[in-house]
Amino acid sequence: MHPAGERLELLVSSTLMLGAEQPLAVAPVDLAELVADVLDLMQPSLEHRGIAVQRAQGGLPPVPADRARLRQALLNLVVNAADAMPHGGRLLVSTELDHAAQRALIAVEDSGAGVSDELRARLESDPRSTKPFGLGLGLVVCRDVASAHGGELRIERSAALGGARFVIALPSQAVAAATAGSR
């Protein structure tokens, strides 16, 4: 399928997911491979917008998750980051282990204007779109996907790029095992 068609299909499926209680199809997911998949899908659009992409993947064991839903959430965050940089910029997508919290983290950071404290508070309580032509679904889907996995969506400031940093934090037995194995 053509990348634009695949992106459209993902957007439609995320709309259909809202409000529908569907069980998670949990299996081990390689987060580095998932990030590569989404960035490969978005690469033509990001290049066209003048957005340079960086990946930073830590050595992460597979994480038990619903790959399709996690892919949708990551795609939404990448699209939001791109929209925050209408004149180009830098995008950093990283995965890492948070040993202390026993969480696997997927972070999407941009060099856009960032998220003010006021907007962050509003988005955390009501994550519908603030974009003039947004459907209001992207962050809702991300929050719901993280929550369905027992995790959370965090909205922060990017120390690396100066813009926004959105983090999907997922609990993981694999993280606990990796932490125990490194002692």
Side-chain angles (χ1 to χ4, degrees):
M1 179 181 292
H2 188 273
E6 191 173 349
R7 286 192 303 270
L8 181 58
E9 184 178 307
L10 282 168
L11 291 173
V12 170
S13 69
S14 73
T15 303
L16 295 175
M17 276 190 336
L18 287 173
E21 289 294 323
Q22 301 172 12
L24 294 176
V26 176
V29 176
D30 180 332
L31 295 182
E33 188 273 328
L34 181 73
V35 166
D37 178 38
V38 170
L39 291 179
D40 288 348
L41 177 65
M42 290 297 298
Q43 192 63 37
S45 175
L46 296 170
E47 282 180 5
H48 178 73
R49 293 177 177 206
I51 297 172
V53 177
Q54 286 181 270
R55 300 176 197 187
Q57 271 86 37
L60 207 61
V63 174
D66 183 319
R67 187 182 193 287
R69 289 194 188 176
L70 210 48
R71 183 176 188 244
Q72 180 61 59
L74 181 56
L75 176 73
N76 289 347
L77 293 179
V78 170
V79 167
N80 283 351
D83 288 347
M85 301 179 288
H87 306 292
R90 296 183 337 190
L91 174 73
L92 170 61
V93 182
S94 61
T95 59
E96 63 183 278
L97 289 176
D98 178 345
H99 290 283
Q102 295 188 349
R103 299 223 176 217
L105 307 179
I106 305 171
V108 176
E109 305 180 50
D110 64 63
S111 62
V115 179
S116 68
D117 290 340
E118 178 183 315
L119 180 57
R120 181 179 311 127
R122 191 193 81 58
L123 288 173
E124 287 172 348
S125 64
D126 180 15
R128 288 177 289 177
S129 182
T130 58
K131 299 179 212 173
F133 301 106
L135 296 174
L137 305 176
L139 290 180
V140 172
V141 168
C142 295
R143 184 191 62 194
D144 289 353
V145 167
S147 180
H149 285 85
E152 65 182 340
L153 175 67
R154 297 194 307 236
I155 304 168
E156 305 169 347
R157 179 144 234 11
S158 170
L161 301 179
R165 181 177 196 251
F166 287 82
V167 180
I168 297 173
L170 303 170
S172 170
Q173 298 87 352
V175 175
T179 301
S182 65
R183 290 183 186 160

PDB file of all heavy atoms in Angstrom, residues 111-142:
ATOM      1  N   SER A 111      11.294  20.377  17.902  1.00  0.00           N
ATOM      2  CA  SER A 111      11.926  21.677  18.102  1.00  0.00           C
ATOM      3  C   SER A 111      10.930  22.807  17.871  1.00  0.00           C
ATOM      4  O   SER A 111      11.323  23.946  17.619  1.00  0.00           O
ATOM      5  CB  SER A 111      13.135  21.838  17.170  1.00  0.00           C
ATOM      6  OG  SER A 111      12.712  21.785  15.817  1.00  0.00           O
ATOM      7  N   GLY A 112       9.646  22.503  17.968  1.00  0.00           N
ATOM      8  CA  GLY A 112       8.605  23.515  17.798  1.00  0.00           C
ATOM      9  C   GLY A 112       8.546  24.468  18.985  1.00  0.00           C
ATOM     10  O   GLY A 112       9.468  24.543  19.801  1.00  0.00           O
ATOM     11  N   ALA A 113       7.414  25.150  19.101  1.00  0.00           N
ATOM     12  CA  ALA A 113       7.251  26.173  20.139  1.00  0.00           C
ATOM     13  C   ALA A 113       7.105  25.599  21.531  1.00  0.00           C
ATOM     14  O   ALA A 113       7.258  26.313  22.519  1.00  0.00           O
ATOM     15  CB  ALA A 113       6.024  27.035  19.814  1.00  0.00           C
ATOM     16  N   GLY A 114       6.811  24.322  21.640  1.00  0.00           N
ATOM     17  CA  GLY A 114       6.638  23.714  22.955  1.00  0.00           C
ATOM     18  C   GLY A 114       5.217  23.858  23.445  1.00  0.00           C
ATOM     19  O   GLY A 114       4.346  24.386  22.758  1.00  0.00           O
ATOM     20  N   VAL A 115       4.983  23.388  24.645  1.00  0.00           N
ATOM     21  CA  VAL A 115       3.659  23.416  25.252  1.00  0.00           C
ATOM     22  C   VAL A 115       3.764  24.218  26.541  1.00  0.00           C
ATOM     23  O   VAL A 115       4.533  23.868  27.436  1.00  0.00           O
ATOM     24  CB  VAL A 115       3.160  21.977  25.555  1.00  0.00           C
ATOM     25  CG1 VAL A 115       1.794  22.003  26.204  1.00  0.00           C
ATOM     26  CG2 VAL A 115       3.128  21.146  24.279  1.00  0.00           C
ATOM     27  N   SER A 116       2.991  25.299  26.629  1.00  0.00           N
ATOM     28  CA  SER A 116       3.008  26.122  27.840  1.00  0.00           C
ATOM     29  C   SER A 116       2.430  25.328  29.007  1.00  0.00           C
ATOM     30  O   SER A 116       1.713  24.346  28.817  1.00  0.00           O
ATOM     31  CB  SER A 116       2.181  27.396  27.620  1.00  0.00           C
ATOM     32  OG  SER A 116       0.801  27.060  27.494  1.00  0.00           O
ATOM     33  N   ASP A 117       2.717  25.783  30.220  1.00  0.00           N
ATOM     34  CA  ASP A 117       2.178  25.117  31.415  1.00  0.00           C
ATOM     35  C   ASP A 117       0.651  25.125  31.375  1.00  0.00           C
ATOM     36  O   ASP A 117       0.007  24.147  31.745  1.00  0.00           O
ATOM     37  CB  ASP A 117       2.684  25.792  32.691  1.00  0.00           C
ATOM     38  CG  ASP A 117       4.169  25.556  32.930  1.00  0.00           C
ATOM     39  OD1 ASP A 117       4.718  24.587  32.348  1.00  0.00           O
ATOM     40  OD2 ASP A 117       4.779  26.329  33.683  1.00  0.00           O
ATOM     41  N   GLU A 118       0.077  26.237  30.940  1.00  0.00           N
ATOM     42  CA  GLU A 118      -1.381  26.366  30.867  1.00  0.00           C
ATOM     43  C   GLU A 118      -1.964  25.370  29.867  1.00  0.00           C
ATOM     44  O   GLU A 118      -2.934  24.664  30.160  1.00  0.00           O
ATOM     45  CB  GLU A 118      -1.752  27.795  30.469  1.00  0.00           C
ATOM     46  CG  GLU A 118      -3.246  28.030  30.320  1.00  0.00           C
ATOM     47  CD  GLU A 118      -3.534  29.452  29.846  1.00  0.00           C
ATOM     48  OE1 GLU A 118      -2.923  30.402  30.382  1.00  0.00           O
ATOM     49  OE2 GLU A 118      -4.374  29.593  28.943  1.00  0.00           O
ATOM     50  N   LEU A 119      -1.362  25.290  28.682  1.00  0.00           N
ATOM     51  CA  LEU A 119      -1.844  24.357  27.664  1.00  0.00           C
ATOM     52  C   LEU A 119      -1.609  22.914  28.113  1.00  0.00           C
ATOM     53  O   LEU A 119      -2.460  22.051  27.903  1.00  0.00           O
ATOM     54  CB  LEU A 119      -1.163  24.618  26.317  1.00  0.00           C
ATOM     55  CG  LEU A 119      -1.575  23.706  25.165  1.00  0.00           C
ATOM     56  CD1 LEU A 119      -3.075  23.750  24.930  1.00  0.00           C
ATOM     57  CD2 LEU A 119      -0.821  24.094  23.897  1.00  0.00           C
ATOM     58  N   ARG A 120      -0.481  22.652  28.739  1.00  0.00           N
ATOM     59  CA  ARG A 120      -0.195  21.299  29.235  1.00  0.00           C
ATOM     60  C   ARG A 120      -1.280  20.859  30.214  1.00  0.00           C
ATOM     61  O   ARG A 120      -1.805  19.746  30.130  1.00  0.00           O
ATOM     62  CB  ARG A 120       1.171  21.235  29.903  1.00  0.00           C
ATOM     63  CG  ARG A 120       1.504  19.830  30.397  1.00  0.00           C
ATOM     64  CD  ARG A 120       2.870  19.736  31.054  1.00  0.00           C
ATOM     65  NE  ARG A 120       3.900  20.340  30.241  1.00  0.00           N
ATOM     66  CZ  ARG A 120       4.752  21.271  30.677  1.00  0.00           C
ATOM     67  NH1 ARG A 120       4.706  21.677  31.916  1.00  0.00           N
ATOM     68  NH2 ARG A 120       5.654  21.784  29.887  1.00  0.00           N
ATOM     69  N   ALA A 121      -1.649  21.726  31.142  1.00  0.00           N
ATOM     70  CA  ALA A 121      -2.695  21.391  32.119  1.00  0.00           C
ATOM     71  C   ALA A 121      -4.015  21.121  31.406  1.00  0.00           C
ATOM     72  O   ALA A 121      -4.735  20.184  31.750  1.00  0.00           O
ATOM     73  CB  ALA A 121      -2.848  22.526  33.126  1.00  0.00           C
ATOM     74  N   ARG A 122      -4.352  21.922  30.390  1.00  0.00           N
ATOM     75  CA  ARG A 122      -5.593  21.707  29.666  1.00  0.00           C
ATOM     76  C   ARG A 122      -5.562  20.403  28.888  1.00  0.00           C
ATOM     77  O   ARG A 122      -6.515  19.638  28.893  1.00  0.00           O
ATOM     78  CB  ARG A 122      -5.888  22.856  28.705  1.00  0.00           C
ATOM     79  CG  ARG A 122      -7.331  22.728  28.183  1.00  0.00           C
ATOM     80  CD  ARG A 122      -7.670  23.599  27.019  1.00  0.00           C
ATOM     81  NE  ARG A 122      -7.292  23.217  25.696  1.00  0.00           N
ATOM     82  CZ  ARG A 122      -7.628  22.094  25.067  1.00  0.00           C
ATOM     83  NH1 ARG A 122      -8.283  21.161  25.669  1.00  0.00           N
ATOM     84  NH2 ARG A 122      -7.279  21.890  23.830  1.00  0.00           N
ATOM     85  N   LEU A 123      -4.436  20.119  28.226  1.00  0.00           N
ATOM     86  CA  LEU A 123      -4.329  18.887  27.450  1.00  0.00           C
ATOM     87  C   LEU A 123      -4.371  17.642  28.329  1.00  0.00           C
ATOM     88  O   LEU A 123      -4.892  16.615  27.919  1.00  0.00           O
ATOM     89  CB  LEU A 123      -3.044  18.881  26.616  1.00  0.00           C
ATOM     90  CG  LEU A 123      -3.012  19.813  25.416  1.00  0.00           C
ATOM     91  CD1 LEU A 123      -1.625  19.815  24.790  1.00  0.00           C
ATOM     92  CD2 LEU A 123      -4.061  19.428  24.392  1.00  0.00           C
ATOM     93  N   GLU A 124      -3.812  17.741  29.526  1.00  0.00           N
ATOM     94  CA  GLU A 124      -3.820  16.588  30.421  1.00  0.00           C
ATOM     95  C   GLU A 124      -5.227  16.280  30.926  1.00  0.00           C
ATOM     96  O   GLU A 124      -5.578  15.135  31.139  1.00  0.00           O
ATOM     97  CB  GLU A 124      -2.841  16.788  31.576  1.00  0.00           C
ATOM     98  CG  GLU A 124      -1.407  16.657  31.097  1.00  0.00           C
ATOM     99  CD  GLU A 124      -0.366  17.017  32.133  1.00  0.00           C
ATOM    100  OE1 GLU A 124      -0.710  17.602  33.188  1.00  0.00           O
ATOM    101  OE2 GLU A 124       0.824  16.732  31.875  1.00  0.00           O
ATOM    102  N   SER A 125      -6.056  17.312  31.067  1.00  0.00           N
ATOM    103  CA  SER A 125      -7.428  17.074  31.523  1.00  0.00           C
ATOM    104  C   SER A 125      -8.385  16.869  30.355  1.00  0.00           C
ATOM    105  O   SER A 125      -9.373  16.156  30.471  1.00  0.00           O
ATOM    106  CB  SER A 125      -7.911  18.229  32.405  1.00  0.00           C
ATOM    107  OG  SER A 125      -7.978  19.422  31.651  1.00  0.00           O
ATOM    108  N   ASP A 126      -8.107  17.494  29.209  1.00  0.00           N
ATOM    109  CA  ASP A 126      -8.978  17.398  28.035  1.00  0.00           C
ATOM    110  C   ASP A 126      -8.086  17.396  26.790  1.00  0.00           C
ATOM    111  O   ASP A 126      -7.782  18.450  26.241  1.00  0.00           O
ATOM    112  CB  ASP A 126      -9.934  18.597  27.993  1.00  0.00           C
ATOM    113  CG  ASP A 126     -10.862  18.565  26.797  1.00  0.00           C
ATOM    114  OD1 ASP A 126     -10.994  17.503  26.146  1.00  0.00           O
ATOM    115  OD2 ASP A 126     -11.467  19.612  26.509  1.00  0.00           O
ATOM    116  N   PRO A 127      -7.635  16.205  26.355  1.00  0.00           N
ATOM    117  CA  PRO A 127      -6.631  16.136  25.294  1.00  0.00           C
ATOM    118  C   PRO A 127      -7.158  16.330  23.875  1.00  0.00           C
ATOM    119  O   PRO A 127      -6.513  15.962  22.920  1.00  0.00           O
ATOM    120  CB  PRO A 127      -6.049  14.731  25.475  1.00  0.00           C
ATOM    121  CG  PRO A 127      -7.163  13.945  26.031  1.00  0.00           C
ATOM    122  CD  PRO A 127      -7.936  14.887  26.902  1.00  0.00           C
ATOM    123  N   ARG A 128      -8.308  16.962  23.707  1.00  0.00           N
ATOM    124  CA  ARG A 128      -8.793  17.211  22.350  1.00  0.00           C
ATOM    125  C   ARG A 128      -7.945  18.281  21.681  1.00  0.00           C
ATOM    126  O   ARG A 128      -7.327  19.112  22.323  1.00  0.00           O
ATOM    127  CB  ARG A 128     -10.265  17.618  22.375  1.00  0.00           C
ATOM    128  CG  ARG A 128     -11.160  16.428  22.715  1.00  0.00           C
ATOM    129  CD  ARG A 128     -12.569  16.832  22.808  1.00  0.00           C
ATOM    130  NE  ARG A 128     -12.697  17.639  24.024  1.00  0.00           N
ATOM    131  CZ  ARG A 128     -13.813  18.229  24.405  1.00  0.00           C
ATOM    132  NH1 ARG A 128     -14.889  18.127  23.688  1.00  0.00           N
ATOM    133  NH2 ARG A 128     -13.850  18.938  25.515  1.00  0.00           N
ATOM    134  N   SER A 129      -7.980  18.285  20.372  1.00  0.00           N
ATOM    135  CA  SER A 129      -7.099  19.129  19.570  1.00  0.00           C
ATOM    136  C   SER A 129      -7.243  20.614  19.862  1.00  0.00           C
ATOM    137  O   SER A 129      -8.327  21.117  20.112  1.00  0.00           O
ATOM    138  CB  SER A 129      -7.389  18.893  18.085  1.00  0.00           C
ATOM    139  OG  SER A 129      -6.521  19.661  17.298  1.00  0.00           O
ATOM    140  N   THR A 130      -6.113  21.297  19.803  1.00  0.00           N
ATOM    141  CA  THR A 130      -6.096  22.756  19.874  1.00  0.00           C
ATOM    142  C   THR A 130      -5.832  23.335  18.484  1.00  0.00           C
ATOM    143  O   THR A 130      -5.762  24.541  18.326  1.00  0.00           O
ATOM    144  CB  THR A 130      -4.987  23.242  20.834  1.00  0.00           C
ATOM    145  OG1 THR A 130      -3.737  22.735  20.367  1.00  0.00           O
ATOM    146  CG2 THR A 130      -5.234  22.758  22.248  1.00  0.00           C
ATOM    147  N   LYS A 131      -5.692  22.461  17.490  1.00  0.00           N
ATOM    148  CA  LYS A 131      -5.423  22.911  16.130  1.00  0.00           C
ATOM    149  C   LYS A 131      -6.712  23.429  15.508  1.00  0.00           C
ATOM    150  O   LYS A 131      -7.785  22.869  15.713  1.00  0.00           O
ATOM    151  CB  LYS A 131      -4.887  21.764  15.273  1.00  0.00           C
ATOM    152  CG  LYS A 131      -3.597  21.172  15.768  1.00  0.00           C
ATOM    153  CD  LYS A 131      -3.191  20.037  14.860  1.00  0.00           C
ATOM    154  CE  LYS A 131      -2.458  18.974  15.618  1.00  0.00           C
ATOM    155  NZ  LYS A 131      -2.198  17.803  14.830  1.00  0.00           N
ATOM    156  N   PRO A 132      -6.622  24.505  14.708  1.00  0.00           N
ATOM    157  CA  PRO A 132      -7.843  25.074  14.120  1.00  0.00           C
ATOM    158  C   PRO A 132      -8.646  24.064  13.295  1.00  0.00           C
ATOM    159  O   PRO A 132      -9.853  24.096  13.286  1.00  0.00           O
ATOM    160  CB  PRO A 132      -7.340  26.213  13.236  1.00  0.00           C
ATOM    161  CG  PRO A 132      -5.904  26.397  13.552  1.00  0.00           C
ATOM    162  CD  PRO A 132      -5.430  25.224  14.331  1.00  0.00           C
ATOM    163  N   PHE A 133      -7.959  23.156  12.613  1.00  0.00           N
ATOM    164  CA  PHE A 133      -8.662  22.196  11.769  1.00  0.00           C
ATOM    165  C   PHE A 133      -8.507  20.770  12.285  1.00  0.00           C
ATOM    166  O   PHE A 133      -8.766  19.818  11.586  1.00  0.00           O
ATOM    167  CB  PHE A 133      -8.157  22.291  10.315  1.00  0.00           C
ATOM    168  CG  PHE A 133      -8.347  23.663   9.750  1.00  0.00           C
ATOM    169  CD1 PHE A 133      -7.261  24.511   9.585  1.00  0.00           C
ATOM    170  CD2 PHE A 133      -9.605  24.123   9.417  1.00  0.00           C
ATOM    171  CE1 PHE A 133      -7.425  25.786   9.088  1.00  0.00           C
ATOM    172  CE2 PHE A 133      -9.783  25.410   8.926  1.00  0.00           C
ATOM    173  CZ  PHE A 133      -8.689  26.241   8.750  1.00  0.00           C
ATOM    174  N   GLY A 134      -8.066  20.628  13.529  1.00  0.00           N
ATOM    175  CA  GLY A 134      -7.879  19.299  14.104  1.00  0.00           C
ATOM    176  C   GLY A 134      -9.212  18.647  14.427  1.00  0.00           C
ATOM    177  O   GLY A 134     -10.206  19.310  14.712  1.00  0.00           O
ATOM    178  N   LEU A 135      -9.226  17.328  14.376  1.00  0.00           N
ATOM    179  CA  LEU A 135     -10.425  16.581  14.726  1.00  0.00           C
ATOM    180  C   LEU A 135     -10.539  16.378  16.226  1.00  0.00           C
ATOM    181  O   LEU A 135     -11.576  15.970  16.729  1.00  0.00           O
ATOM    182  CB  LEU A 135     -10.425  15.206  14.030  1.00  0.00           C
ATOM    183  CG  LEU A 135     -10.484  15.235  12.513  1.00  0.00           C
ATOM    184  CD1 LEU A 135     -10.336  13.819  11.965  1.00  0.00           C
ATOM    185  CD2 LEU A 135     -11.773  15.861  12.042  1.00  0.00           C
ATOM    186  N   GLY A 136      -9.451  16.631  16.940  1.00  0.00           N
ATOM    187  CA  GLY A 136      -9.490  16.484  18.376  1.00  0.00           C
ATOM    188  C   GLY A 136      -9.299  15.059  18.853  1.00  0.00           C
ATOM    189  O   GLY A 136      -9.637  14.733  19.976  1.00  0.00           O
ATOM    190  N   LEU A 137      -8.774  14.178  18.007  1.00  0.00           N
ATOM    191  CA  LEU A 137      -8.716  12.774  18.356  1.00  0.00           C
ATOM    192  C   LEU A 137      -7.319  12.252  18.663  1.00  0.00           C
ATOM    193  O   LEU A 137      -7.174  11.268  19.378  1.00  0.00           O
ATOM    194  CB  LEU A 137      -9.309  11.934  17.217  1.00  0.00           C
ATOM    195  CG  LEU A 137     -10.719  12.307  16.784  1.00  0.00           C
ATOM    196  CD1 LEU A 137     -11.126  11.459  15.593  1.00  0.00           C
ATOM    197  CD2 LEU A 137     -11.681  12.140  17.923  1.00  0.00           C
ATOM    198  N   GLY A 138      -6.292  12.873  18.129  1.00  0.00           N
ATOM    199  CA  GLY A 138      -4.943  12.324  18.224  1.00  0.00           C
ATOM    200  C   GLY A 138      -4.479  12.050  19.633  1.00  0.00           C
ATOM    201  O   GLY A 138      -4.086  10.940  19.974  1.00  0.00           O
ATOM    202  N   LEU A 139      -4.508  13.058  20.505  1.00  0.00           N
ATOM    203  CA  LEU A 139      -4.040  12.858  21.872  1.00  0.00           C
ATOM    204  C   LEU A 139      -5.014  12.020  22.689  1.00  0.00           C
ATOM    205  O   LEU A 139      -4.606  11.318  23.609  1.00  0.00           O
ATOM    206  CB  LEU A 139      -3.775  14.194  22.562  1.00  0.00           C
ATOM    207  CG  LEU A 139      -2.571  14.972  22.042  1.00  0.00           C
ATOM    208  CD1 LEU A 139      -2.409  16.280  22.788  1.00  0.00           C
ATOM    209  CD2 LEU A 139      -1.301  14.146  22.127  1.00  0.00           C
ATOM    210  N   VAL A 140      -6.305  12.078  22.348  1.00  0.00           N
ATOM    211  CA  VAL A 140      -7.281  11.230  23.024  1.00  0.00           C
ATOM    212  C   VAL A 140      -6.934   9.768  22.776  1.00  0.00           C
ATOM    213  O   VAL A 140      -6.904   8.953  23.698  1.00  0.00           O
ATOM    214  CB  VAL A 140      -8.725  11.532  22.541  1.00  0.00           C
ATOM    215  CG1 VAL A 140      -9.705  10.516  23.095  1.00  0.00           C
ATOM    216  CG2 VAL A 140      -9.140  12.943  22.929  1.00  0.00           C
ATOM    217  N   VAL A 141      -6.634   9.431  21.514  1.00  0.00           N
ATOM    218  CA  VAL A 141      -6.251   8.059  21.176  1.00  0.00           C
ATOM    219  C   VAL A 141      -4.972   7.684  21.909  1.00  0.00           C
ATOM    220  O   VAL A 141      -4.879   6.599  22.494  1.00  0.00           O
ATOM    221  CB  VAL A 141      -6.085   7.886  19.647  1.00  0.00           C
ATOM    222  CG1 VAL A 141      -5.414   6.562  19.312  1.00  0.00           C
ATOM    223  CG2 VAL A 141      -7.433   7.989  18.947  1.00  0.00           C
ATOM    224  N   CYS A 142      -3.983   8.564  21.927  1.00  0.00           N
ATOM    225  CA  CYS A 142      -2.713   8.273  22.605  1.00  0.00           C
ATOM    226  C   CYS A 142      -2.928   8.012  24.086  1.00  0.00           C
ATOM    227  O   CYS A 142      -2.386   7.052  24.649  1.00  0.00           O
ATOM    228  CB  CYS A 142      -1.735   9.429  22.420  1.00  0.00           C
ATOM    229  SG  CYS A 142      -1.229   9.676  20.715  1.00  0.00           S
TER     230      CYS A 142
END
